[in-house]
Amino acid sequence: MANFKRWYDHDPLLMEVMDILENYQEELKDQALVFLDKIEKQVGKEMIDAFYASIKPQIKGNRWYDHDPLISKTIELLRVVPPEIQKKAAEGFLQALKQKGLTPELLNEAKSED
């Protein structure tokens, strides 16, 4: 099994999603909420809150996503779910962006106008 530097490096789709999230955090908070809502429906809000509370003290705060609680919670949950769920979540995330007309190019244009 190959060693990867980051937990998501094993899947090009996850790498694409993480890149988009890193570069467009503010623009994509609504999508992060949708992801959290879907996970909550599957496992329960209490379980998610308990998980996040248990890992929060371990978060060092020096990763790009540690500075926004919503994005941090979303990525930490994505990190710990099984690979098949990661893949489905990544596919769903990219599909939702396309349905809303949010392409990386369009997001890039919006960011450069700020």
Side-chain angles (χ1 to χ4, degrees), residues 17 20-21 28 31-32 88-98:
V17 167
I20 291 169
L21 281 170
L28 299 174
Q31 290 306 120
K88 284 182 184 177
E91 289 169 348
F93 178 80
L94 293 173
Q95 186 62 34
L97 289 180
K98 284 180 188 173

Side-chain angles (χ1 to χ4, degrees), residues 21-35:
L21 281 170
E22 180 177 6
N23 291 303
Y24 308 104
Q25 291 175 54
E26 287 302 314
E27 295 89 343
L28 299 174
K29 282 189 178 182
D30 288 344
Q31 290 306 120
L33 283 170
V34 169
F35 171 74

